[in-house]
Amino acid sequence: MRTIAVCLAFLATLVPGPPALAEEPEISEASQSCLECHAEATPAIVADWKRSAHAVTSPLAAQKKPEAERKVSSTKKRPEINDKVVGCAECHTLHPKMHKDTVEHDEFQMHPVVSPADCAVCHPTEVQEYNSNLMSRAYPNLRLNPLYMDLANEINGPRRYENGKLIKDKPNLATEAESCFYCHGTKIEVTGTKTRETDWGEITTPVLKGWPSHGVGRINPDGQWGSCTACHPRHSFSLAVARNPATCSECHKGPDVPAYQAYSVSKHGNIHAALAKDWNMTAVPWTVGRDFTAPTCATCHISALQDTEGKEIVKRTHEMADRIDTRLMGLVYAAPHPKLPTTYSIRNKDNQPLATALDGTPAAKFLIDKKEQAKRRATMKKVCQSCHSKTWVDGQFARLDNTIKVSNQQTLAATRMIQEAWAKGLAKGPDRNDSPFNEPLEKDWIRAWLFHANAARYASAMLGADYGVFALGRWEMARILDEMEEKIKGFRK
Amino acid sequence: MRTIAVCLAFLATLVPGPPALAEEPEISEASQSCLECHAEATPAIVADWKRSAHAVTSPLAAQKKPEAERKVSSTKKRPEINDKVVGCAECHTLHPKMHKDTVEHDEFQMHPVVSPADCAVCHPTEVQEYNSNLMSRAYPNLRLNPLYMDLANEINGPRRYENGKLIKDKPNLATEAESCFYCHGTKIEVTGTKTRETDWGEITTPVLKGWPSHGVGRINPDGQWGSCTACHPRHSFSLAVARNPATCSECHKGPDVPAYQAYSVSKHGNIHAALAKDWNMTAVPWTVGRDFTAPTCATCHISALQDTEGKEIVKRTHEMADRIDTRLMGLVYAAPHPKLPTTYSIRNKDNQPLATALDGTPAAKFLIDKKEQAKRRATMKKVCQSCHSKTWVDGQFARLDNTIKVSNQQTLAATRMIQEAWAKGLAKGPDRNDSPFNEPLEKDWIRAWLFHANAARYASAMLGADYGVFALGRWEMARILDEMEEKIKGFRK
Amino acid sequence: MRTIAVCLAFLATLVPGPPALAEEPEISEASQSCLECHAEATPAIVADWKRSAHAVTSPLAAQKKPEAERKVSSTKKRPEINDKVVGCAECHTLHPKMHKDTVEHDEFQMHPVVSPADCAVCHPTEVQEYNSNLMSRAYPNLRLNPLYMDLANEINGPRRYENGKLIKDKPNLATEAESCFYCHGTKIEVTGTKTRETDWGEITTPVLKGWPSHGVGRINPDGQWGSCTACHPRHSFSLAVARNPATCSECHKGPDVPAYQAYSVSKHGNIHAALAKDWNMTAVPWTVGRDFTAPTCATCHISALQDTEGKEIVKRTHEMADRIDTRLMGLVYAAPHPKLPTTYSIRNKDNQPLATALDGTPAAKFLIDKKEQAKRRATMKKVCQSCHSKTWVDGQFARLDNTIKVSNQQTLAATRMIQEAWAKGLAKGPDRNDSPFNEPLEKDWIRAWLFHANAARYASAMLGADYGVFALGRWEMARILDEMEEKIKGFRK
């Protein structure tokens, strides 16, 4: 019966006949010129693009679609919004003066690194939302937070053992780019140009420091933050890829953000594993119960959803925290979400760049208030309630609130121990102008909140309890707390 | 275009047509009444149900199928076994007096929590088998086993650090429900009712303690054990989901039960990963070599299998241990499978609620005997031999037996060390009326048997050696043993 | 186009038509005779084979295909290269005198264990290449390397705790076969024959020590190295399986070789997870950008690739290191790839069987030189450049080189610490004729290079940074180094 369905579906696509074909938008002369060489020079990039919506739709045609189905958000008339498909030149020659990576390439002013400002010509709302998303500032949020940089340097800095002493050096940029800044994004800088002979003549390319990078908070050569290709990988920009949980796993699988892990053992993840091959992963809007029967990451956090009656459930958002009231990860204590994406500017009551003080007190003026929290939770609940009863949803959120509270309490116990260790000189902490992150006992403390408090919270938020018990969660948390106590007692003797 | 014409001509001959449609069973008036509001109130639940076999088959029609293809096991005539499809009301209004969660809902006596007793109207054999399965008693098997509750409390109990001491509190119910009892199941209790205004008027729902829960040993408001939705997620009850290994991973992926992990690196798992998209995951019976070419968890442990000649290989069973002779996990020592599902009632020779004594002696009278073990292994071997030669299968089982023996020997070494530690006062054990599970050294011992002895056994049982060496297996076991020895020697000085 | 193909394929199955059947090669009389019993005795094996290319193609027909599409590499005329399909007898009765596992079976001289020498009748190039691959010598590379066997014994040897002392025994063969030698392969030896009654009369089978095994370096009863079924699982020998990354995960997922893990969080892996269900995983040659849009393990390391213009990108190779310049795993320090597959014969300047000395000096005469390294990297870059620009590829390889350098430096720090511990008697090392791998502090050192230096390198090589930071990489490396220092200082007091 499936084969018959495929046959029917196929026939349906063919029936429209010649008129549809006649309407197919053309490739611009500029892009046609790119393709002449690149079909041979980089054939798979061209092939990938040819499968994309960009290769078969023009911005103008996209603007004419019914609002709910529209993927472009620009409503303006601009010269770029025309009837040609979105080809090579349409993106790689935009804003040549802003792009420091612009080079003379054949007859074009071409830049290799396409930035959100380029995408914003057709997708301004998405880029604007993304700019409110703290992922867009992932680079400065790490680079300009001295405490977090202490941690990053501790992880990435190479060691030498000399004269019975372990010496820690600063990491180089290449190491950082392969570690924390792989996900956070690098700062791409143009340091010159390079010319080489190719089969198509002499070619000049910019020399780029920090390249490659598709980290979410990449600083582009035009000064813009972010990288759309992080989730919408060029050059197919496939919605099916962006909506697949594996995409998010690229940065959200490790013990510091075990979101994907929790999902993978959730009922949602299990149903996805079994059935997603038959789901429609590219429909816009995305119909719960018809296009798919269990959520992926995108469903709950980003996508525009409607129900089988065609009624809107939630609007699309690229401000990923729009449906998140509490920040569960990357913090000593879970806390209300920051107001601004620039978390590096947060200061707690002790003037540390953290969303809470070490005793758990939130840096309230930098964080969303209860009203905004309630609003965000209400939006998320709408998503949940497309498949679950109100009772069910309220029950699960009560559990999450409990997990947040208890995991914060566990972290408080760990923090009090490390503070005692600092006070008694068993470790050197901030009170002695030393990093709180660079000694073994401190690393026990870090693991307590960065990995395990966190895993328990994700397990509750995403129904993946197996990661909240033994794998990364409560068992490890309990073990660390007990071992810290033993170590502190041991030192005391 | 000629091909299309051929397709169309062919499809015309296949289009089911009116007669087939005429035979489609009807929705009962009661369920029709539910759907009137719920199509709008919970559209994705309705959509999910509409894809289910329940939405297109009546119990009566299901009973008439040839025995091998039958998914219902009831052969009785009962009013519920009629010619209507199995809709909302068919399940949610059954046995209203038994269900403490029954409320007046519209004109119905409706209960939200469907229990195995409800499912048993059509699927009595499955429910009966499941009741012999220790998963059905997962709640009391943990809750009523004081030793295991010691471990659970140690994991889930929050800590406070006060006056230089780590104080351990008892966990609350919400934490337990997100941790151990997420998989084991909660006890759902009705504590009252709540009435709220909705778009469809005033609605009364029961207030449920322990909700949500789809743990395998859930105690339902009608007093029944178990939750069919744990593996057959409502409301599609998809066989494809139940048979997908991801479903089992929900509770069998952590280091305490790394069955899914072992499978994922087995040849079986690899073939599944590559080819399952083209398998028939819903055929009943399930034909080895035609519907699928490598087993999933369900294949070996549950499903009714036949060979390509139509000959029965094994019967379906929901007593998951029917093909398992030795219990590999959750025990200090691997031991013959318990006779009864109520493992909390087991007592070893030292009167502890464990399947073996701490020296490894089995609590024989509570465990299946050699004859029953041989019978179960013979059944499992039938499954293996549908694809493997007898020599191959015998060879692999000899390896498993060796792994069981050696892993038990490793555990014995760890146990003797912890007993020495207890005897010498290096840790407080049962001899001093203290939990054997609450100190760092004891946790080394726990990891030895609960994680690593276990992982080696799963790797042998399921051919996933990569998890039996470095990831969770022998390397870690050896390291813990050596570290325990070092710690004990260190304490001795 | 795919839909049309599906339609056509579907219609083809319905309109069998005599002409097509008439051209299908026949099953030999011998294989027909096997099938008579085995269709009933081992129906799923027969079913699996029936889906294979072997069941529908004859060697002679395969030889006639255009070179680029050819999967057989034999160009010779031999009696086995005939017009019959490759059935049971075609493989299981080859070279009866060489096979010590040959038995009288019905009227045939049959051997159960098919070896690469059997496969080489049609696939000689592949087998020859594989023989240059160090995977083909995985058995002796471990068994004949006394240092590595020290480590293996330390992992696999069971412990007894007697009289306050942990006694380590040698592991038995069954344990080894379930641990290291599961992937490395066992040595299969014929120790006799066994006769049993079956439904088809008396059957004699060889008694095989070391069976089952499909490890990559299996020593077969005919003395040949390797096991093609390790990646091409019998009896379908599916290309789709061999090309699926899950196949490689069987041995390359643990912390000692986290290649699959790195892939799973790479952009490549993410695209595979989302889209592979629609890829053509069996096309030969394999067209980048058309058959698939992101690489699997096979793409980069093995497969013959062409671009969408039909131009060859790289040739197929079963010498998996043909595109690898540096060996990243299984070594104390990453080093140029060994020249010969027999790594057990390598000696460093201190006469240890290691590719480098403990100070990092390469055992240069056993390793490929810079020219060969450059050649291999150039081949790999060709693969990368089918989808990425030269700038991108050069940038990423510069990162990998940096990671290799820094991870080696980290290992040097760890090694200097363990050497100091040996020198000061804090642990017993090679200088005191003791294994460098059998004490807890030594195991910290092992984890540093075997797991964590390694994970960082894989993360760079395969763009899976999430495994290079917290999960297995730099965080753990830094933590171990700091803890080693603390332990050494602690001992010193």
Side-chain angles (χ1 to χ4, degrees):
Chain A
M1 283 310 289
R2 248 192 95 216
T3 314
I4 298 170
V6 169
C7 271
L8 280 170
F10 163 63
L11 291 168
T13 65
L14 281 189
V15 171
L21 288 170
E23 278 172 25
E24 251 184 34
E26 285 179 0
I27 298 174
S28 68
E29 265 180 58
S31 289
Q32 197 58 60
S33 158
C34 306
L35 290 170
E36 266 161 41
C37 299
H38 278 277
E40 205 181 332
T42 58
I45 293 180
V46 171
D48 217 24
W49 169 76
K50 279 188 177 164
R51 297 169 182 267
S52 73
H54 283 165
V56 294
T57 324
S58 71
L60 205 55
Q63 278 189 342
K64 289 177 188 161
K65 287 199 175 175
E67 193 182 343
E69 296 171 29
R70 222 177 284 159
K71 292 181 231 173
V72 297
S73 51
S74 166
T75 51
K76 287 187 197 151
K77 300 217 176 304
R78 298 177 48 157
E80 298 93 342
I81 306 289
N82 58 28
D83 63 353
K84 300 290 185 282
V85 303
V86 183
C88 326
E90 278 63 30
C91 303
H92 284 279
T93 65
L94 278 172
H95 316 124
K97 284 182 189 160
M98 284 167 56
H99 276 277
K100 292 193 179 133
D101 56 331
T102 296
V103 286
E104 292 282 335
H105 186 80
D106 203 10
E107 60 197 297
F108 302 102
Q109 297 288 101
M110 186 280 294
H111 60 272
V113 184
V114 173
S115 94
D118 300 327
C119 305
V121 168
C122 296
H123 307 280
T125 306
E126 289 70 26
V127 170
Q128 196 186 335
E129 287 167 353
Y130 189 75
N131 275 341
S132 305
N133 180 348
L134 46 78
M135 290 162 85
S136 72
R137 311 301 163 96
Y139 179 85
N141 282 348
L142 176 50
R143 184 65 84 193
L144 302 183
N145 184 321
L147 258 182
Y148 281 15
M149 277 310 289
D150 267 359
L151 178 55
N153 289 337
E154 180 60 27
I155 294 169
N156 300 322
R159 269 76 169 158
R160 287 172 289 133
Y161 191 69
E162 286 174 7
N163 306 317
K165 205 171 151 12
L166 201 57
I167 298 159
K168 301 180 182 184
D169 294 318
K170 279 274 160 70
N172 62 26
L173 283 173
T175 296
E176 291 185 327
E178 290 296 274
S179 186
C180 307
F181 290 93
Y182 184 91
C183 286
H184 281 251
T186 62
K187 184 173 186 177
I188 302 174
E189 292 175 283
V190 181
T191 61
T193 59
K194 197 191 254 176
T195 302
R196 69 178 203 276
E197 268 310 314
T198 74
D199 293 350
W200 301 269
E202 227 174 43
I203 281 182
T204 297
T205 47
V207 178
L208 299 170
K209 204 164 122 181
W211 184 249
S213 168
H214 59 266
V216 294
R218 184 174 85 184
I219 308 291
N220 296 282
D222 64 351
Q224 296 294 311
W225 313 286
S227 160
C228 303
T229 197
C231 307
H232 299 275
R234 62 191 183 283
H235 289 91
S236 71
F237 309 98
S238 155
L239 251 186
V241 170
R243 285 173 170 178
N244 191 291
T247 289
C248 310
S249 86
E250 194 164 338
C251 295
H252 295 204
K253 192 177 179 188
D256 53 319
V257 206
Y260 178 82
Q261 306 280 41
Y263 177 79
S264 74
V265 295
S266 73
K267 189 55 83 195
H268 295 157
N270 302 342
I271 295 173
H272 177 268
L275 304 181
K277 68 187 171 70
D278 297 320
W279 291 352
N280 182 342
M281 297 298 280
T282 56
V284 173
W286 216 10
T287 304
V288 184
R290 189 180 66 207
D291 295 329
F292 63 97
T293 56
T296 69
C297 315
T299 312
C300 298
H301 294 291
I302 303 165
S303 299
L305 305 178
Q306 70 175 15
D307 68 24
T308 43
E309 314 272 291
K311 206 169 73 183
E312 179 188 281
I313 298 168
V314 282
K315 290 190 188 308
R316 183 190 304 133
T317 179
H318 279 73
E319 204 297 55
M320 271 76 156
D322 252 12
R323 307 176 191 168
I324 298 180
D325 54 83
T326 305
R327 192 154 161 71
L328 302 181
M329 48 73 68
L331 303 176
V332 182
Y333 299 92
H337 216 274
K339 278 181 194 163
L340 296 175
T342 48
T343 61
Y344 62 84
S345 61
I346 293 175
R347 289 296 174 276
N348 67 16
K349 67 182 170 74
D350 301 320
N351 206 33
Q352 293 162 314
L354 293 173
T356 62
L358 288 187
D359 65 4
T361 311
K365 74 172 178 174
F366 297 92
L367 309 180
I368 60 171
D369 60 18
K370 284 196 187 307
K371 200 177 142 193
E372 177 65 19
Q373 281 194 294
K375 187 184 141 202
R376 295 189 184 192
R377 178 164 292 191
T379 313
M380 181 61 97
K381 280 188 172 180
K382 273 193 215 165
V383 180
C384 307
Q385 283 182 227
S386 40
C387 296
H388 297 281
S389 73
K390 190 180 180 312
T391 315
W392 197 100
V393 173
D394 289 347
Q396 187 58 40
F397 273 99
R399 296 254 178 86
L400 172 59
D401 286 336
N402 175 69
T403 302
I404 290 170
K405 191 179 148 194
V406 173
S407 63
N408 276 351
Q409 182 186 329
Q410 299 282 61
T411 297
L412 182 62
T415 306
R416 285 190 176 165
M417 286 195 276
I418 197 68
Q419 287 177 317
E420 180 176 318
W422 288 333
K424 302 203 167 168
L426 307 172
K428 277 187 294 180
D431 53 330
R432 297 166 73 184
N433 279 322
D434 194 69
S435 162
F437 301 139
N438 60 355
E439 291 166 70
L441 190 64
E442 290 167 343
K443 290 182 182 181
D444 289 344
W445 170 63
I446 294 168
R447 287 189 297 141
W449 51 266
L450 188 61
F451 298 169
H452 307 305
N454 193 24
R457 291 191 288 258
Y458 272 114
S460 282
M462 301 174 64
L463 314 171
D466 218 36
Y467 275 93
V469 191
F470 288 109
L472 276 177
R474 293 172 180 86
W475 159 266
E476 291 296 338
M477 172 60 97
R479 195 158 77 97
I480 287 178
L481 290 173
D482 292 2
E483 288 186 356
M484 284 184 77
E485 190 196 27
E486 196 173 88
K487 286 177 191 174
I488 290 172
K489 281 186 182 163
F491 282 131
R492 267 192 213 128
K493 279 173 204 166
Chain B
M1 283 314 288
R2 270 187 65 199
T3 314
I4 298 167
V6 170
C7 268
L8 280 170
F10 163 65
L11 290 169
T13 69
L14 279 190
V15 170
L21 287 171
E23 279 171 27
E24 255 183 29
E26 285 178 0
I27 298 175
S28 68
E29 265 181 58
S31 290
Q32 197 59 59
S33 158
C34 305
L35 291 170
E36 266 161 42
C37 299
H38 278 278
E40 206 182 330
T42 58
I45 293 180
V46 171
D48 217 25
W49 169 76
K50 279 187 177 164
R51 297 169 183 265
S52 74
H54 282 166
V56 293
T57 325
S58 72
L60 204 56
Q63 278 189 342
K64 288 179 187 159
K65 287 198 176 175
E67 193 182 344
E69 294 170 31
R70 222 177 283 158
K71 291 181 231 172
V72 295
S73 51
S74 164
T75 52
K76 287 188 197 152
K77 300 217 176 303
R78 296 179 47 157
E80 297 93 344
I81 306 290
N82 59 28
D83 62 354
K84 299 290 185 282
V85 303
V86 183
C88 325
E90 279 62 31
C91 304
H92 284 279
T93 65
L94 277 171
H95 316 123
K97 284 181 190 161
M98 285 167 55
H99 276 277
K100 293 196 180 132
D101 56 331
T102 296
V103 286
E104 291 283 334
H105 186 80
D106 204 8
E107 61 197 297
F108 302 102
Q109 297 287 100
M110 187 278 296
H111 60 273
V113 184
V114 173
S115 93
D118 300 327
C119 304
V121 168
C122 295
H123 306 281
T125 306
E126 288 69 28
V127 170
Q128 194 186 335
E129 287 167 353
Y130 189 74
N131 275 340
S132 305
N133 181 347
L134 46 79
M135 290 163 86
S136 72
R137 312 300 164 95
Y139 179 85
N141 282 347
L142 176 50
R143 184 65 82 192
L144 301 182
N145 184 320
L147 259 182
Y148 281 15
M149 277 309 290
D150 267 359
L151 178 55
N153 289 338
E154 179 61 27
I155 294 169
N156 299 323
R159 268 78 170 157
R160 286 172 289 133
Y161 191 69
E162 285 174 8
N163 306 316
K165 206 171 150 15
L166 202 58
I167 298 159
K168 301 180 181 181
D169 295 318
K170 280 274 159 71
N172 63 24
L173 283 172
T175 296
E176 291 185 325
E178 290 296 273
S179 187
C180 307
F181 290 93
Y182 184 91
C183 286
H184 282 252
T186 63
K187 184 172 186 178
I188 302 174
E189 292 175 284
V190 180
T191 61
T193 60
K194 197 191 252 175
T195 301
R196 69 178 202 275
E197 268 311 315
T198 73
D199 292 351
W200 300 270
E202 226 176 42
I203 280 182
T204 297
T205 47
V207 178
L208 299 170
K209 204 165 121 183
W211 184 249
S213 168
H214 59 266
V216 294
R218 183 175 85 185
I219 308 291
N220 295 282
D222 64 352
Q224 296 293 311
W225 311 286
S227 160
C228 302
T229 197
C231 307
H232 299 275
R234 62 191 184 284
H235 289 90
S236 70
F237 308 98
S238 155
L239 251 185
V241 171
R243 285 172 170 178
N244 191 293
T247 289
C248 309
S249 86
E250 194 164 338
C251 295
H252 294 205
K253 192 176 180 189
D256 54 319
V257 206
Y260 179 82
Q261 304 281 42
Y263 177 79
S264 74
V265 294
S266 73
K267 189 54 84 194
H268 296 157
N270 302 342
I271 295 173
H272 177 268
L275 304 181
K277 69 187 172 68
D278 296 320
W279 291 353
N280 182 342
M281 297 298 280
T282 57
V284 172
W286 218 9
T287 303
V288 185
R290 188 180 67 205
D291 294 329
F292 62 96
T293 57
T296 69
C297 314
T299 312
C300 298
H301 294 291
I302 303 166
S303 299
L305 305 178
Q306 69 174 15
D307 68 25
T308 43
E309 314 272 294
K311 207 170 73 182
E312 178 188 282
I313 298 168
V314 282
K315 290 190 189 307
R316 184 190 302 131
T317 178
H318 279 73
E319 205 296 55
M320 271 78 156
D322 252 12
R323 308 176 191 168
I324 298 180
D325 54 82
T326 305
R327 192 153 161 73
L328 302 180
M329 48 74 67
L331 303 176
V332 182
Y333 299 92
H337 216 274
K339 278 182 194 162
L340 296 175
T342 47
T343 60
Y344 62 84
S345 61
I346 292 174
R347 288 297 173 275
N348 67 16
K349 68 181 168 73
D350 301 320
N351 207 33
Q352 293 162 315
L354 293 173
T356 61
L358 288 187
D359 64 5
T361 312
K365 73 172 178 174
F366 296 93
L367 310 180
I368 60 172
D369 60 19
K370 282 195 188 307
K371 199 177 142 194
E372 177 66 18
Q373 281 194 296
K375 187 183 139 201
R376 294 188 184 192
R377 177 163 293 191
T379 312
M380 182 61 97
K381 280 188 172 180
K382 272 193 215 164
V383 180
C384 307
Q385 283 182 229
S386 41
C387 296
H388 296 281
S389 74
K390 190 181 180 310
T391 314
W392 197 99
V393 174
D394 288 347
Q396 188 58 40
F397 272 100
R399 296 253 179 85
L400 172 59
D401 286 336
N402 176 68
T403 301
I404 290 171
K405 192 179 148 194
V406 172
S407 63
N408 276 350
Q409 181 185 331
Q410 299 281 62
T411 298
L412 181 62
T415 305
R416 284 189 176 166
M417 286 194 276
I418 197 67
Q419 286 177 318
E420 181 175 317
W422 288 333
K424 301 204 169 169
L426 306 173
K428 277 187 294 179
D431 52 330
R432 296 166 73 185
N433 280 323
D434 195 68
S435 161
F437 302 138
N438 61 353
E439 291 166 72
L441 190 64
E442 291 167 342
K443 290 181 183 182
D444 288 344
W445 170 64
I446 295 169
R447 287 190 296 142
W449 52 266
L450 187 61
F451 297 170
H452 307 305
N454 194 23
R457 292 191 288 257
Y458 272 114
S460 282
M462 301 174 64
L463 315 171
D466 219 35
Y467 275 94
V469 191
F470 289 109
L472 276 177
R474 293 173 181 85
W475 159 266
E476 291 296 338
M477 172 60 97
R479 196 158 77 96
I480 287 178
L481 290 173
D482 293 2
E483 287 186 357
M484 283 183 77
E485 189 196 26
E486 197 173 88
K487 285 178 191 175
I488 290 173
K489 282 186 182 163
F491 282 130
R492 266 190 214 131
K493 280 173 201 166
Chain C
M1 279 311 289
R2 250 195 96 221
T3 315
I4 299 174
V6 170
C7 271
L8 281 171
F10 166 62
L11 292 168
T13 65
L14 285 183
V15 190
L21 286 172
E23 279 171 27
E24 255 184 30
E26 285 178 0
I27 298 174
S28 68
E29 265 181 58
S31 290
Q32 196 60 59
S33 157
C34 306
L35 290 171
E36 266 161 41
C37 299
H38 277 279
E40 205 182 331
T42 58
I45 293 180
V46 171
D48 216 26
W49 170 76
K50 278 187 177 164
R51 298 168 182 267
S52 74
H54 282 167
V56 293
T57 326
S58 71
L60 205 55
Q63 277 189 343
K64 288 176 187 161
K65 287 197 176 176
E67 193 182 345
E69 295 170 30
R70 221 177 285 158
K71 291 180 231 174
V72 296
S73 51
S74 165
T75 52
K76 287 188 199 153
K77 300 217 176 305
R78 297 177 48 156
E80 297 92 344
I81 306 290
N82 58 29
D83 63 353
K84 300 289 185 285
V85 302
V86 183
C88 325
E90 278 63 30
C91 303
H92 283 279
T93 65
L94 277 171
H95 316 124
K97 284 182 189 160
M98 285 168 55
H99 276 278
K100 292 195 179 133
D101 56 331
T102 296
V103 286
E104 292 282 334
H105 185 79
D106 203 10
E107 61 196 297
F108 303 102
Q109 297 287 101
M110 186 279 295
H111 59 272
V113 185
V114 173
S115 94
D118 300 327
C119 303
V121 168
C122 296
H123 306 281
T125 306
E126 288 70 26
V127 171
Q128 195 185 335
E129 286 167 353
Y130 189 75
N131 275 339
S132 304
N133 181 345
L134 46 78
M135 289 163 87
S136 72
R137 312 300 163 95
Y139 179 85
N141 282 348
L142 177 50
R143 184 65 84 192
L144 302 183
N145 185 320
L147 259 182
Y148 281 15
M149 276 309 290
D150 267 359
L151 178 55
N153 289 337
E154 179 61 26
I155 294 169
N156 299 322
R159 268 77 168 156
R160 286 172 289 133
Y161 190 69
E162 286 175 7
N163 305 317
K165 205 172 151 13
L166 202 58
I167 299 159
K168 301 179 183 183
D169 295 318
K170 281 272 160 72
N172 62 27
L173 283 173
T175 296
E176 291 185 326
E178 290 296 274
S179 186
C180 307
F181 290 93
Y182 183 91
C183 286
H184 281 252
T186 62
K187 184 172 185 178
I188 302 174
E189 292 175 283
V190 181
T191 61
T193 60
K194 197 191 254 178
T195 301
R196 70 178 202 277
E197 267 312 313
T198 74
D199 292 350
W200 301 269
E202 226 174 44
I203 280 182
T204 297
T205 47
V207 178
L208 299 170
K209 203 164 122 181
W211 185 249
S213 169
H214 60 265
V216 295
R218 182 175 84 185
I219 309 291
N220 296 282
D222 64 351
Q224 296 293 311
W225 312 286
S227 159
C228 303
T229 197
C231 307
H232 299 276
R234 62 191 184 283
H235 288 92
S236 71
F237 308 98
S238 155
L239 251 184
V241 171
R243 285 171 170 179
N244 191 291
T247 288
C248 310
S249 86
E250 194 164 336
C251 295
H252 295 205
K253 192 177 180 189
D256 53 319
V257 206
Y260 178 82
Q261 305 282 41
Y263 178 79
S264 74
V265 295
S266 73
K267 190 53 84 195
H268 295 157
N270 303 342
I271 295 173
H272 176 267
L275 304 181
K277 69 186 170 69
D278 297 320
W279 291 352
N280 181 342
M281 297 298 280
T282 57
V284 174
W286 216 10
T287 303
V288 185
R290 189 180 66 206
D291 295 328
F292 63 96
T293 56
T296 69
C297 314
T299 311
C300 297
H301 294 290
I302 303 167
S303 299
L305 304 178
Q306 69 174 17
D307 68 24
T308 42
E309 314 271 292
K311 207 170 74 182
E312 179 187 282
I313 298 169
V314 282
K315 291 190 188 308
R316 182 190 305 132
T317 179
H318 278 73
E319 206 296 56
M320 270 77 156
D322 252 12
R323 308 175 191 168
I324 298 179
D325 54 81
T326 305
R327 191 154 161 73
L328 303 181
M329 48 74 67
L331 303 176
V332 182
Y333 299 93
H337 216 274
K339 278 181 193 163
L340 297 175
T342 48
T343 61
Y344 62 85
S345 60
I346 293 174
R347 289 295 174 277
N348 68 15
K349 68 181 169 74
D350 301 319
N351 206 36
Q352 292 162 316
L354 293 173
T356 62
L358 288 187
D359 65 4
T361 311
K365 73 172 177 175
F366 297 92
L367 310 179
I368 60 172
D369 59 19
K370 280 194 188 310
K371 200 178 142 191
E372 176 66 18
Q373 280 194 297
K375 187 183 139 201
R376 294 190 184 191
R377 178 163 293 191
T379 312
M380 182 61 96
K381 280 187 171 180
K382 272 193 214 164
V383 180
C384 307
Q385 283 182 227
S386 41
C387 295
H388 297 281
S389 73
K390 189 180 181 314
T391 315
W392 197 100
V393 173
D394 288 348
Q396 188 57 41
F397 273 100
R399 296 252 179 86
L400 172 59
D401 286 337
N402 175 69
T403 301
I404 291 170
K405 192 179 148 194
V406 173
S407 63
N408 277 349
Q409 182 185 330
Q410 299 282 62
T411 297
L412 181 62
T415 306
R416 285 190 176 166
M417 285 195 276
I418 197 68
Q419 287 177 316
E420 181 177 316
W422 289 332
K424 302 204 166 167
L426 306 173
K428 277 187 295 179
D431 52 330
R432 296 166 74 183
N433 280 323
D434 193 69
S435 161
F437 302 137
N438 60 354
E439 290 165 72
L441 190 64
E442 290 166 343
K443 290 181 182 181
D444 288 345
W445 171 63
I446 296 167
R447 287 189 297 142
W449 51 266
L450 187 61
F451 296 170
H452 307 305
N454 193 25
R457 292 191 289 257
Y458 272 113
S460 282
M462 300 173 66
L463 315 171
D466 218 35
Y467 275 94
V469 191
F470 288 109
L472 276 177
R474 293 171 181 86
W475 159 266
E476 291 295 339
M477 172 59 98
R479 196 159 76 97
I480 286 178
L481 291 172
D482 293 2
E483 287 186 357
M484 284 183 77
E485 190 196 26
E486 196 174 86
K487 285 177 191 175
I488 290 172
K489 281 185 181 162
F491 284 131
R492 265 191 213 128
K493 279 173 201 167

